[in-house]
């Protein structure tokens, strides 16, 4: 009987700790010991009394906040303060910039799926849809990517059209002459144009992303807004933003560009201004820019502004025609002909009011950049990646049917099924992530961590999928010319990977490095409390964190043992399993994250292989969540179920391998030994998508015209007479028309009516014997002609070949 009472008390103790009731947990254990004491014999009293006294002491020590703060938390605060690295101003500003959204749910260990499913991304408005169907389509029809590559620029009429239709003012409010469009509309424009021309997409997206327009909207003075924004919206001014330097690339805060406050003459008057010196490179639109956004460190050595000497990073707007500015030369980024080049400034003098935000903006440049970066990073390159992947999906879905070898479409070969499945599923979950992230931006979020995820992981998936498309198209993909559909996207891959934060940096430092502090429910509070010496705040955060770790350890083990079956799911049906499994891995992720933080402390910053794997786990949980959200929002169509299953099987496997890699490589072997049975008590059970599932996804892309159109609904499709995608689409239509006639020929061969022969001769024999009629014969002839044409590649005369550019 005493043992039973103690066992019940122990269960109550665990349950109350799990529920965050530490004081009552210790009280329950003490009470159980006292009850057991009363039920036990005299000889057992000392042990029960000892345990009860210890439990009562623990209840007072840890359960009564004033006592806990004085005795325990004060000691822990000192120890933690010595272990934690200090947070510099630039890092603090980066952490304070932006908001926490679904990434916080992933860090919680118990995501609120109803919150995600109830969230409604803003749809395109009527005017936004009309713009996509009108001017954007018209612009795409005006340009030819091959011609742009040879001319090294957009045609003049295309530039004028962009200005007339206010493409450079997509996000500038209507009151300043812009279009005032939503994030999802901005994204849709970039997605469609990028499926036509990477160079054109970059030219359109950069002025609407991080740059003068964005900074002016949020931080500019009224006078600056009234002057610049209408000119930017109309294209009268073409902006660039000069951030990157030879010595300050990924570490942009290490800028060597300086602006020294001094007196000089400007436009005939002596004024207090800034003498600037800089060397910038990789600046998109710089060679054609009429206004330069510049970041630099502002210094006031003579105290002319009455403050400190180092005023901090500052952003200003500089006319490119001032003395001392060297601008107009070009870089050549992988031969993709969008304007990009260096800018140099030597002793360039501008007045103080050139600073964005005026005097109030001095020293606020880093904050401006960090707060604005999340939105631009969430839209530009993710949208470009989705456009490229949708184009690849459209192309190889058609080519897999039209191109034949060994008397059957190449898409029927298992070796081709694999890249077809990866491509189709990638188009599905990548677009889901694009729409969800843009929806968050439109809802007022500045999702710094999630924007880094979609930038890095959508561009990485684009890299893999475009490589798959190149493999499927084979020789047709490597021969340059107007017929080559995906070659431009392939050449441009490194640009998407590198700009707006190189993916290596984004994965290893930003996503988890910032997410572990920003998105975690307790870590940021703990760090700030340590730095400020706030004992009460630290006590609350630290013991909340302790309970958080305990809860996730129990949940991780229990959910792993049950395969997540006991976790709540917001829907019924086959996909409910995936919600539960993501919940299981959210708990595991939170536990592994806290263990890594506890065992590595400040050195986790330098353990980039560990932080990179944690970023992988977080990113794939988000991509899986986005796919589930899309499936739900689109009415859970049976047509898309195989795509959803492939996406989630792949995402969960990636999460499992990432967390397993962290556990295997933690420097503390004791921590690994403890974590492994809590996270993977039955081993690593997740598997990548099965072969038969991939076959179903590939078959859907090849056979279901509606699915193929659904997956590629955001791209530009040229007219049927245009070489490349236009002719390929026409060939696919003709293939579908010829399919029943060709089936009729095959049946006639099988039943002996016709002898086996090449298809052209077989068609003539079938017509001669009345197996097919004249109309069917004509369909086969047209199919053979267009099929023969569409599989050709470009050839050039020697003189033309020697003049090719790019």
């Amino acid at each position: 009987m005493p043992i039973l009472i103690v066992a019940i008390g122990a269960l109550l103790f665990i349950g109350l700790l799990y529920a965050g009731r530490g004081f009552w947990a210790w009280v329950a254990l003490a009470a159980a010991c006292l009850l057991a004491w009363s039920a036990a014999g005299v000889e057992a009293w000392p042990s029960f009394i000892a345990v009860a006294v210890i439990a009562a002491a623990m209840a007072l020590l840890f359960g009564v906040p004033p006592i806990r703060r004085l005795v325990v938390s004060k000691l822990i605060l000192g120890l933690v303060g010595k272990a934690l690295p200090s947070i510099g101003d630039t890092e603090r500003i980066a952490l304070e910039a932006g908001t926490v959204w679904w990434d916080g749910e992933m860090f919680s260990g118990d995501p609120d799926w109803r919150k995600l499913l109830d969230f409604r991304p803003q749809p395109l408005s009527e005017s936004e849809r009309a713009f996509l169907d009108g001017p954007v389509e018209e612009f795409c029809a005006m340009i030819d990517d091959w011609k742009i590559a040879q001319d090294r620029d957009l045609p003049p009429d295309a530039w004028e059209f962009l200005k007339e239709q206010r493409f450079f003012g997509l996000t500038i409010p209507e009151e300043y002459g812009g279009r005032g469009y939503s994030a999802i509309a901005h994204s849709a424009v970039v997605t469609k144009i990028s499926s036509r021309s990477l160079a054109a997409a970059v030219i359109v997206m950069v002025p609407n992303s991080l740059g003068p327009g964005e900074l002016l909207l949020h931080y500019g003075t009224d006078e600056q807004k009234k002057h610049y924004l209408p000119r930017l919206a109309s294209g009268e001014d073409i902006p660039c933003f000069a951030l990157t330097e030879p010595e300050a690339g990924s570490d942009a805060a290490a800028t060597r560009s300086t602006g020294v406050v001094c007196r000089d003459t400007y436009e005939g008057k002596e004024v207090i201004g800034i003498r600037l010196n800089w060397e910038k490179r990789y600046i998109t639109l710089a060679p054609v820019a009429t206004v330069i956004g510049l970041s630099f460190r502002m210094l006031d050595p003579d105290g002319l502004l009455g403050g400190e000497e180092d005023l901090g990073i500052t952003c200003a707007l500089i006319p490119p025609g001032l003395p001392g500015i060297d601008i107009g030369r070009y870089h050549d980024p992988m031969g993709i002909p969008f304007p990009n080049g260096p800018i140099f400034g030597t002793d360039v003098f501008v007045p103080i009011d050139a600073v964005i935000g005026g005097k109030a903006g001095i020293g606020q440049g880093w904050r401006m950049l960090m707060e604005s970066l999340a939105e631009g990073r969430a839209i530009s390159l993710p949208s470009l990646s989705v456009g490229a992947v949708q184009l690849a999906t459209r192309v190889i879905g058609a080519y897999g049917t039209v191109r034949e070898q060994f008397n059957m479409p190449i898409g029927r070969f298992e070796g081709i099924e694999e890249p077809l499945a990866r491509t189709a599923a990638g188009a599905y979950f990548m677009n889901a992530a694009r729409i969800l992230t843009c929806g968050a931006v439109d809802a007022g979020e500045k999702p710094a961590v999630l924007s880094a995820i979609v930038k890095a992981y959508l561009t990485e998936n684009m890299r893999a999928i475009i490589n798959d498309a190149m493999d499927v198209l084979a020789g047709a993909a490597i021969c340059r010319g107007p017929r080559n559909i995906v070659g431009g996207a392939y050449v441009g891959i490194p640009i998407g990977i590198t700009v707006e934060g190189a993916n290596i940096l984004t994965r290893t430092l930003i996503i988890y490095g910032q997410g572990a502090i920003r998105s975690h429910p307790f870590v940021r509070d703990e760090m700030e409390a340590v730095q400020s010496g706030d004992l009460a705040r630290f006590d609350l955060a630290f013991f909340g964190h302790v309970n958080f770790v305990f809860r996730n350890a129990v949940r991780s083990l229990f959910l792993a043992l049950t395969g997540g079956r006991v976790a709540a799911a917001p829907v019924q049906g086959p996909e409910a399993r995936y919600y539960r499994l993501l919940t299981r891995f959210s708990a595991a992720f939170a536990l592994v994250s806290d263990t890594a933080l506890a065992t590595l402390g400040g050195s986790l910053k330098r353990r980039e292989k560990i932080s990179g794997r944690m970023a992988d786990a977080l990113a794939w949980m988000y991509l899986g969540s986005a796919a589930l959200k899309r499936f739900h929002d689109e009415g859970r169509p049976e047509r898309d179920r195989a795509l959803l299953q492939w996406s989630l099987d792949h995402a969960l496997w990636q999460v499992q391998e990432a967390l397993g890699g962290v556990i295997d490589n933690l420097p503390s072997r004791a921590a690994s030994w403890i974590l492994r049975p809590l996270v993977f008590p039955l081993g690593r059970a997740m598997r990548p998508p099965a072969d038969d599932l991939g076959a179903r996804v590939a078959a859907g892309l090849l056979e279901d015209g509606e699915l193929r159109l659904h997956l590629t609904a955001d791209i530009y499709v040229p007219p049927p007479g245009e070489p490349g995608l236009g002719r390929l689409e026409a060939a696919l239509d003709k293939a579908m028309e010829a399919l029943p006639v060709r089936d009729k020929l095959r049946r006639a061969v099988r039943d002996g009516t016709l002898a086996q022969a090449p298809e052209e001769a077989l068609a003539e024999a079938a017509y001669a014997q009345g197996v097919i009629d004249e109309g069917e014969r004509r369909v086969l002839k047209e199919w053979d002609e267009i099929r023969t044409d569409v599989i050709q590649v470009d050839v050039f005369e020697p003189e033309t070949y020697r003049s090719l550019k790019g």
Side-chain angles (χ1 to χ4, degrees):
M1 185 65 176
I3 299 300
L4 178 60
I5 294 172
V6 171
I8 293 171
L11 289 174
L12 281 172
F13 174 76
I14 293 172
L16 288 166
L17 275 183
Y18 180 81
R21 300 292 185 266
F23 174 77
W24 294 108
W26 290 107
V27 169
L29 184 59
C33 290
L34 290 172
L35 286 172
W37 168 41
S38 65
V42 174
E43 67 280 0
W45 288 3
S47 58
F48 285 118
I49 290 174
V51 174
V53 169
I54 292 171
M58 295 295 282
L60 290 172
L61 192 59
F62 289 99
V64 180
I67 298 175
R68 185 179 67 208
R69 282 197 292 268
L70 288 174
V71 178
V72 180
S73 299
K74 190 173 183 179
L75 175 63
I76 296 174
L77 176 64
L79 295 173
V80 172
K82 293 177 182 178
L84 285 178
S86 61
I87 300 178
D89 286 342
T90 55
E91 189 173 5
R92 177 181 53 78
I93 290 169
L95 289 171
E96 290 173 352
T99 59
V100 175
W101 192 59
W102 190 247
D103 45 323
E105 295 294 328
M106 293 289 97
F107 267 93
S108 75
D110 190 13
D112 182 354
W113 294 108
R114 183 45 57 191
K115 172 185 174 182
L116 182 68
L117 297 188
D118 288 345
F119 172 69
R120 292 288 175 264
Q122 179 176 322
L124 292 170
S125 68
E126 288 186 13
S127 65
E128 290 169 343
R129 174 57 64 190
F131 185 72
L132 279 167
D133 294 340
V136 180
E137 283 279 316
E138 189 176 348
F139 174 68
C140 288
M142 293 174 68
I143 58 177
D144 179 319
D145 196 45
W146 174 249
K147 192 171 187 305
I148 291 170
Q150 297 310 299
D151 294 343
R152 310 301 295 153
D153 198 359
L154 299 183
D157 61 335
W159 274 105
E160 287 306 311
F161 186 82
L162 290 176
K163 295 175 182 180
E164 290 169 4
Q165 296 296 327
R166 293 173 289 158
F167 275 78
F168 299 137
L170 296 179
T171 58
I172 293 174
E174 292 181 273
E175 64 182 290
Y176 296 109
R179 291 194 171 272
Y181 283 168
S182 62
I184 191 62
H186 176 191
S187 172
V189 171
V190 174
T191 299
K192 180 166 284 191
I193 296 174
S194 67
S195 71
R196 182 63 163 165
S197 167
L198 175 61
V202 171
I203 287 169
V204 170
M205 78 187 190
V206 166
N208 291 290
S209 184
L210 176 63
E214 179 76 10
L215 296 177
L216 283 166
L217 274 175
H218 295 296
Y219 313 105
T221 65
D222 288 341
E223 184 180 353
Q224 288 171 338
K225 291 178 183 179
K226 289 175 183 177
H227 175 75
Y228 282 109
L229 290 179
R231 297 166 64 90
L232 292 171
S234 67
E236 182 179 352
D237 270 336
I238 301 295
C240 70
F241 193 83
L243 177 63
T244 305
E245 306 172 9
E247 301 294 340
S250 298
D251 185 10
T255 178
R256 295 189 180 183
S257 300
T258 59
V260 178
V261 180
C262 62
R263 293 183 183 275
D264 206 333
T265 301
Y266 188 82
E267 295 182 348
K269 297 179 181 179
E270 184 177 297
V271 297
I272 294 178
I274 314 164
R275 188 169 305 284
L276 295 156
N277 287 275
W278 74 82
E279 179 183 352
K280 302 286 187 178
R281 64 179 182 179
Y282 310 149
I283 311 305
T284 298
L285 297 183
V288 298
T290 61
V291 60
I292 303 167
L294 183 74
S295 69
F296 57 94
R297 184 168 296 281
M298 192 161 170
L299 306 170
D300 185 12
D302 298 328
L304 295 178
L305 299 181
E308 298 178 356
E309 178 177 346
D310 187 347
L311 301 177
I313 294 175
T314 302
C315 296
L317 297 177
I318 314 295
L322 293 178
I325 296 179
D326 179 359
I327 189 172
R329 289 180 286 171
Y330 285 77
H331 298 307
D332 185 10
M334 298 301 296
I336 304 296
F338 60 88
N340 183 282
I343 313 176
F344 303 91
T346 304
D347 292 335
V348 179
F349 183 77
V350 295
I352 290 290
D353 59 12
V355 172
I356 296 176
K359 287 186 178 180
I362 294 173
Q364 299 301 307
W366 188 247
R367 183 180 300 279
M368 293 177 184
L369 294 172
M370 291 299 98
E371 289 178 349
S372 299
L373 185 61
E375 183 171 340
R377 186 183 271 156
I379 296 171
S380 297
L381 290 169
S383 304
L384 186 148
S385 300
V386 168
V389 167
Q390 287 196 14
L391 176 65
T393 304
R394 189 97 172 197
V395 169
I396 66 173
Y399 198 77
T401 296
V402 171
R403 178 65 164 149
E404 295 184 355
Q405 291 286 274
F406 305 103
N407 295 317
M408 72 175 184
I410 63 170
R412 301 299 176 187
F413 291 93
E414 287 193 359
I416 302 296
E417 277 183 354
E418 286 185 307
L420 286 175
R422 287 193 295 265
T423 300
Y428 184 79
F429 68 72
M430 286 174 64
N431 206 28
R434 176 186 74 90
I435 293 169
L436 181 59
T437 310
C438 286
V441 172
D442 282 328
E445 300 288 342
K446 291 185 178 293
V449 173
L450 297 182
S451 67
I453 286 174
V454 291
K455 187 275 164 181
Y457 287 81
L458 266 57
T459 55
E460 287 294 344
N461 276 279
M462 173 189 68
R463 173 169 21 200
I465 288 169
I466 295 298
N467 274 316
D468 276 338
M470 294 289 290
D471 287 349
V472 172
L473 295 170
I478 64 172
C479 291
R480 297 172 61 226
R483 294 172 178 267
N484 190 320
I485 309 171
V486 301
Y490 176 78
V491 173
I493 286 172
I495 297 170
I497 297 296
T498 303
V499 301
E500 290 192 10
N503 283 2
I504 290 177
L505 165 81
T506 303
R507 173 179 176 263
T508 57
L509 293 180
I510 296 178
I511 293 173
Y512 183 71
Q514 290 193 13
I517 299 172
R518 182 198 299 271
S519 307
H520 193 286
F522 298 103
V523 168
R524 186 172 171 185
D525 274 350
E526 289 170 317
M527 294 182 73
E528 291 178 353
V530 167
Q531 287 208 313
S532 64
D534 188 335
L535 183 59
R537 184 182 179 189
F538 176 78
D539 173 81
L540 188 64
F542 181 80
F543 283 97
H545 195 167
V546 169
N547 179 66
F548 179 73
V549 172
F550 180 81
R551 289 182 72 248
N552 283 319
V554 174
R555 283 173 52 79
S556 179
L557 175 61
F558 193 48
L559 292 173
L561 289 172
T562 60
R565 291 178 181 85
V566 296
V571 298
Q572 301 296 318
E575 70 269 25
R577 168 177 174 263
Y578 292 119
Y579 289 97
R580 296 187 176 105
L581 285 171
L582 279 173
T583 296
R584 172 213 162 173
F585 278 113
S586 173
F589 173 82
L591 178 62
V592 174
S593 177
D594 280 322
T595 305
L597 286 167
T599 57
L600 293 170
S603 69
L604 182 56
K605 280 185 179 180
R606 298 184 296 277
R607 296 283 186 166
E608 294 171 18
K609 295 174 186 176
I610 297 292
S611 63
R613 292 185 183 103
M614 293 301 296
D616 291 340
L618 180 62
W620 281 105
M621 285 193 292
Y622 181 62
L623 296 178
S625 299
L628 285 169
K629 169 69 171 168
R630 176 180 183 177
F631 188 73
H632 177 270
D633 286 357
E634 292 179 351
R636 303 165 71 187
E638 196 60 36
R639 173 200 64 200
D640 295 350
R641 191 169 295 280
L643 289 166
L644 177 74
Q645 186 178 345
W646 197 102
S647 300
L648 268 296
D649 284 354
H650 182 70
L652 289 165
W653 177 64
Q654 293 280 0
V655 175
Q656 170 188 269
E657 295 306 293
L659 294 179
V662 174
I663 294 171
D664 291 343
N665 290 280
L666 280 175
S668 170
R669 304 319 300 156
S672 295
W673 182 82
I674 294 169
L675 274 178
R676 193 168 286 109
L678 291 174
V679 177
F680 299 116
L682 303 177
R684 302 182 192 179
M686 296 295 107
R687 295 291 179 266
D691 288 351
D692 62 341
L693 176 59
R696 280 189 283 134
V697 172
L701 183 61
L702 294 172
E703 299 170 3
D704 188 344
E706 180 188 353
L707 177 63
R708 178 171 167 270
L709 297 179
H710 173 63
L711 288 174
T712 61
D714 302 295
I715 69 170
Y716 173 75
V717 180
E722 182 176 303
L725 181 58
R727 290 294 284 165
L728 181 60
E729 289 287 304
L732 179 63
D733 290 342
K734 191 59 68 174
M736 294 299 100
E737 185 181 355
L739 184 60
V741 185
R742 299 180 75 197
D743 285 343
K744 186 182 290 189
L745 296 184
R746 293 188 186 97
R747 288 195 300 271
V749 171
R750 282 198 301 270
D751 64 23
T753 304
L754 296 172
Q756 183 68 58
E759 189 165 287
E760 185 177 355
L762 190 63
E764 292 302 317
Y767 176 68
Q769 296 185 37
V771 175
I772 59 174
D773 59 27
E774 176 60 33
E776 292 170 320
R777 179 192 185 194
R778 185 175 62 255
V779 166
L780 289 177
K781 187 175 188 328
E782 292 171 352
W783 151 243
D784 185 64
E785 289 174 353
I786 196 169
R787 180 194 62 81
T788 301
D789 173 66
V790 86
I791 64 174
Q792 301 303 313
V793 298
D794 293 287
V795 294
F796 303 95
E797 295 298 329
E799 297 79 7
T800 304
Y801 173 77
R802 284 191 286 270
S803 69
L804 292 180
K805 300 175 184 176

